[in-house]
């Protein structure tokens, strides 16, 4: 595992700027990996799956340190609006959820009252003890076969729109095989 400073530099480049979210994300991920006994996330890249719970700055840093990418199916997004992530080590089957503590914001204000909010949080999140920064919980989490990075399954074609559907995302409805959009979950309206 690299040092906090090394990861922060990588995160700054990848994310486009250094911010409190980067510092928080790097620390959450370093803690999660350490708890799982993972010292080299690059070497273990096929055995780590990370669930993130917010689409904000913190997630970029978590994904960077845990070396998990959406396009590799190793990064899973649960849209819960929470600064938290769950790290799963497929080799051992263990999973740990790390969540930023709500009180860490107040702690940052108290540590660096003279600094602007983000600057103060950046410094505080780098220094705060783990117990003050975040909550750690061991959790039970089964990653279903079709969720695994290396899953190979049949690709089916939606009987309504003709588009291909991978990873068992099809829906059976009234004897027909449909994609989720045609089954009623469309998030857009066709013009
Ligand atoms: Zn940011
Ligand atoms: Zn369809």
């Amino acid at each position: 595992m690299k040092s906090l400073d090394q990861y922060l530099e990588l995160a700054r480049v990848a994310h486009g700027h250094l911010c409190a979210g980067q510092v928080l994300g790097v620390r959450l991920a370093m803690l999660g990996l350490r708890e799982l006994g993972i010292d080299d996330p690059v070497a273990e890249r096929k055995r780590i799956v990370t669930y993130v719970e917010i689409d904000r700055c913190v997630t970029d840093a978590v994904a960077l340190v845990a070396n998990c990418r959406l396009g590799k199916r190793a990064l899973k997004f649960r849209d819960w609006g929470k600064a938290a992530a769950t790290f799963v080590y497929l080799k051992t089957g263990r999973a740990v959820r790390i969540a930023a503590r709500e009180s860490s914001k107040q702690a940052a204000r108290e540590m660096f009252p003279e600094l602007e909010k983000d600057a103060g949080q950046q410094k505080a999140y780098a220094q705060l003890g783990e117990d003050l920064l975040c909550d750690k919980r061991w959790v039970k989490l089964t990653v279903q076969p079709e969720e695994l990075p290396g899953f190979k399954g049949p690709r089916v074609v939606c009987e309504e729109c003709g588009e291909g559907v991978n990873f068992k995302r099809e829906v059976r409805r009234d004897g027909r095989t449909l994609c989720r959009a045609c089954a009623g979950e469309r998030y857009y309206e066709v013009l």
Side-chain angles (χ1 to χ4, degrees), residues 15-22 56-58 60 118:
H15 180 64
H17 63 241
L18 191 60
C19 58
Q22 297 308 292
R56 278 225 58 200
C57 297
V58 64
D60 277 353
D118 196 85

Side-chain angles (χ1 to χ4, degrees), residues 158-163 165 178-183 186:
C158 172
E159 289 179 37
E160 183 71 30
C161 69
E163 292 180 357
V165 180
L178 302 175
C179 72
R180 289 171 66 163
C182 293
R186 206 171 267 135

Side-chain angles (χ1 to χ4, degrees), residues 2-24:
K2 298 183 197 305
S3 69
L4 175 64
D5 285 342
Q6 285 174 313
Y7 277 130
L8 287 178
E9 177 54 19
L10 291 172
R12 185 187 65 75
V13 172
H15 180 64
H17 63 241
L18 191 60
C19 58
Q22 297 308 292
V23 182
L24 185 60

Side-chain angles (χ1 to χ4, degrees), residues 15 19 70 76 79 87 94 105 135-136 152 164 189:
H15 180 64
C19 58
L70 191 65
K76 313 291 185 187
D79 195 359
F87 304 89
R94 298 185 85 197
K105 285 187 196 301
D135 277 319
K136 176 192 87 186
K152 297 229 182 351
E189 208 178 316

